[in-house]
Amino acid sequence: MSERPKFFEQVNRHFDRAAALLDLPRGILSQIKECNAVYHVSFPLRRDDGEVEVIHGWRAHHSQHRLPVKGGMRLTKHASEDEVTALAALMTYKCALVDIPFGGAKGAIRIEKDDYSERELERIIRRYTYELVRRNCIGPGVDVPGPDMGVGAQEIAWMSDTYLSLSQGEVSAQGAVTGKPLSQGGVRGRVEATGRGVYFGLREAVSRKADMEPLGLSAGLDGKRVVIQGFGNVGYHAAKFMAEDGAVIVGILEREGAAYRADGFSADEVYRHREEGGSLLDLDADEKIEGGKEGAHGLTWDCDILIPAALESVIRKDNAPDIQAKILGEGANGPTTADADEILRERGVLVIPDMFLNAGGVTVSYFEWIKNLSNIRFGRMEQRFEAMANHRILRAVEELTGQSFNDGIFEKLAVGADEEDLVNSGLEETMVSGYEQMREMSILHDTDLRRAGMAVAIGKVARAYQERGIFP
Ligand code: NAD
């Protein structure tokens, strides 16, 4: 397998291709491309056995054209300055493309999560958060971390609690971190948001007959065969929502190996099985591969849609020629190297880029941040009012027509939207309109979606700088 290319360089290669479509001065393009700041912290951890170990962490602020900056936190043994910088840049373009008013950031702590006890993890996360507070690198108007690989509601709750304990009565302090548990100011729908967004994005991509015909596919998700790499937060939820809309999850790839079944897996059953300590390799399947190096196993299996939802740079020039999928839906950040992207384009594979497809997470994080700033649950003011208004409309129709509706109709229609309905509707609107903007640009310039989406994003960031009078 070829060596991992520098990740930030890969993102910048995409940037340069897209910038060539735009008539923007070189100065503004250079400003957008650079990373504004990267913080590297190191601190000692006393392990449960008394040994002391030095822990390294990073936080990158790629673009502060809008504040706060926003981006996930990950715990991985591969964490590096290059990785957080590249991921922070992707966040800038992602937020701009789907109209989330944040700059891009990303953070990471270099640890293999499974090697630490829960108490050790808590100490690591709290100390990292404290280091960010000391540098004014976290806060609802400064930088708002969220979940990413290896970081779920528990780690976010530790970050939020540490920030709250140091914030001295700041009224919107809960908005310093997103992805919190509901009881700590989280929002309904955040956990599954990225996977649900992947589903909305792919549903849009396959919805037009004219776009599917060149791939030899019919329009719609029904019956589409899907292979997913990474069955964590993003992969599992994407699989679940895709299957609920008729797609067949034929292949699942995880650390321990990969399993393929032509008649499809139940996402929920596989997820439960693994949660209980089971492996993909003991599932009933047509084909299995034991875990190989860096998740390459199974990526070339026959399918209509391949969704990498684990690591970056897993599709490279050595395996890109063998990818059989007709559509590549990038659930993970940066799963495809620039060389591999070129090969896939030449081969006519439709690539739905990460900067659009996994934007559901930051979209719902934005909703959570708004909720924390306004200190009120979405729907609290309107839900009952809407339900009563709908009830009155149904009664008026009954009076006008002389016909009575049954209780079932009232139960279905005389309701108001609750927080989850509003969040999911806002997410769907964001993904549909983001896809539309990217597709229109791709038609205008007769180019691929990645280049088009990046061009839309760069144009918006440039406008933000120009409107502030920084550049002509
Ligand atoms: P996660 O930790 O919940 O899941 C990642 C999964 O990938 C795990 O189940 C892990 O075992 C698996 N994995 C790790 N190495 C693998 C390998 N070599 N082969 C196959 N599987 C492997 O992380 P996540 O939050 O689902 O993030 C996955 C990707 O999605 C990352 O690139 C992340 O940056 C991106 N993303 C996540 C979010 C979010 O809201 N969580 C938002 C946007 C983008």
Side-chain angles (χ1 to χ4, degrees):
M1 191 168 288
S2 58
E3 230 177 61
R4 264 169 189 260
K6 290 263 185 232
F7 193 1
F8 191 39
E9 265 172 43
Q10 302 290 308
V11 176
N12 286 339
R13 273 178 67 182
H14 296 316
F15 180 99
D16 292 339
R17 278 185 72 232
L21 294 177
L22 303 168
D23 185 20
L24 285 168
R26 197 159 2 148
I28 199 164
L29 289 172
S30 309
Q31 170 59 38
I32 295 171
K33 199 169 155 184
E34 284 303 325
C35 182
N36 291 172
V38 190
Y39 305 93
H40 175 194
V41 297
S42 54
F43 50 84
L45 166 78
R46 185 177 292 277
R47 303 218 45 176
D48 293 343
D49 63 6
E51 286 290 316
V52 173
E53 184 182 316
V54 177
I55 302 288
H56 292 270
W58 289 265
R59 188 79 190 161
H61 291 177
H62 173 260
S63 176
Q64 289 149 325
H65 69 288
R66 297 220 187 277
L67 286 172
V69 291
K70 177 100 189 83
M73 267 304 306
R74 44 167 69 177
L75 306 180
T76 61
K77 65 176 176 194
H78 301 295
S80 68
E81 181 169 328
D82 174 57
E83 183 184 271
V84 288
T85 309
L87 291 166
L90 279 175
M91 283 303 294
T92 297
Y93 308 128
K94 187 182 304 183
C95 290
L97 174 62
V98 297
D99 296 313
I100 301 297
F102 293 146
K106 201 79 179 191
I109 303 176
R110 190 196 282 157
I111 55 167
E112 177 63 51
K113 190 176 172 184
D114 293 345
D115 293 347
Y116 296 85
S117 71
E118 185 158 333
R119 285 172 41 197
E120 288 170 339
L121 277 178
E122 178 171 0
R123 289 202 290 277
I124 294 170
I125 299 279
R126 286 186 182 278
R127 176 65 187 261
Y128 174 86
T129 310
Y130 169 74
E131 296 291 337
L132 295 187
V133 172
R134 271 182 10 137
R135 289 166 179 78
N136 194 26
C137 265
I138 182 171
V142 182
D143 176 2
V144 182
D148 199 272
M149 281 179 84
V151 171
Q154 177 61 79
E155 290 78 12
I156 291 291
W158 290 327
M159 287 189 88
S160 180
D161 184 59
T162 307
Y163 184 84
L164 284 169
S165 66
L166 296 166
S167 79
Q168 301 183 344
E170 190 183 351
V171 79
S172 46
Q174 275 192 329
V177 197
T178 61
K180 299 179 291 292
L182 269 183
S183 62
Q184 311 296 309
V187 74
R188 286 163 185 79
R190 174 60 185 94
V191 174
E192 59 273 38
T194 309
R196 196 189 284 275
V198 168
Y199 153 65
F200 284 141
L202 285 168
R203 189 195 65 186
E204 280 310 291
V206 302
S207 65
R208 291 169 187 85
K209 206 168 153 219
D211 294 352
M212 289 300 99
E213 263 170 5
L215 305 173
L217 295 174
S218 58
L221 276 178
D222 203 30
K224 293 275 180 304
R225 296 162 311 136
V226 179
V227 167
I228 299 204
Q229 181 196 40
F231 216 56
N233 181 308
V234 179
Y236 158 62
H237 286 109
K240 178 182 161 72
F241 296 122
M242 300 274 291
E244 281 171 9
D245 205 3
V248 186
I249 310 302
V250 293
I252 302 178
L253 287 44
E254 256 292 342
R255 287 174 200 252
E256 70 269 21
Y260 187 95
R261 190 160 77 202
D263 63 359
F265 293 104
S266 150
D268 282 326
E269 276 175 26
V270 175
Y271 189 76
R272 257 196 314 273
H273 173 71
R274 294 190 73 250
E275 279 291 287
E276 287 161 5
S279 152
L280 288 182
L281 298 171
D282 40 61
L283 291 175
D284 182 18
D286 300 329
E287 194 182 337
K288 295 178 201 174
I289 311 177
E290 283 207 21
K293 248 182 116 191
E294 296 284 307
H297 45 276
L299 285 169
T300 53
W301 269 338
D302 183 26
C303 62
D304 300 314
I305 305 177
L306 172 65
I307 306 181
L311 308 170
E312 52 273 359
S313 304
V314 288
I315 301 173
R316 316 176 207 192
K317 63 180 173 195
D318 56 340
N319 60 3
D322 303 321
I323 299 286
Q324 295 194 56
K326 298 170 188 77
I327 300 174
L328 177 70
E330 295 184 335
N333 282 307
T336 314
T337 66
D339 286 339
D341 194 48
E342 215 173 301
I343 296 169
L344 295 178
R345 272 200 312 277
E346 278 164 12
R347 294 187 49 226
V349 176
L350 177 66
V351 177
I352 318 295
D354 48 3
M355 56 173 294
F356 159 72
L357 198 62
N358 66 33
V362 72
T363 301
V364 175
S365 278
Y366 169 49
F367 300 155
E368 180 175 335
W369 178 78
I370 294 173
K371 174 181 181 179
N372 297 148
L373 261 53
S374 52
N375 264 307
I376 186 165
R377 165 171 56 82
F378 291 116
R380 180 167 173 180
M381 302 278 279
E382 317 84 325
Q383 188 176 5
R384 185 163 292 267
F385 180 83
E386 268 177 26
M388 294 310 294
N390 290 342
H391 194 274
R392 281 197 293 274
I393 292 168
L394 289 173
R395 283 274 179 251
V397 174
E398 279 185 334
E399 271 175 34
L400 283 170
T401 61
Q403 289 193 344
S404 311
F405 295 123
N406 60 35
D407 288 350
I409 300 269
F410 271 90
E411 257 170 51
K412 221 163 129 190
L413 299 181
V415 291
D418 65 15
E419 183 166 270
E420 199 162 349
D421 298 329
L422 292 167
V423 162
N424 290 340
S425 149
L427 171 59
E428 184 167 3
E429 169 58 25
T430 303
M431 296 307 293
V432 170
S433 90
Y435 191 77
E436 200 49 39
Q437 293 179 54
M438 193 169 63
R439 184 173 179 270
E440 272 174 22
M441 184 67 115
S442 86
I443 292 171
L444 183 70
H445 291 284
D446 190 20
T447 193
D448 56 284
L449 292 172
R450 189 189 313 275
R451 190 178 186 205
M454 186 72 108
V456 172
I458 296 170
K460 290 184 190 174
V461 179
R463 258 194 313 283
Y465 276 120
Q466 284 164 329
E467 281 160 9
R468 280 162 51 187
I470 299 178
F471 288 93

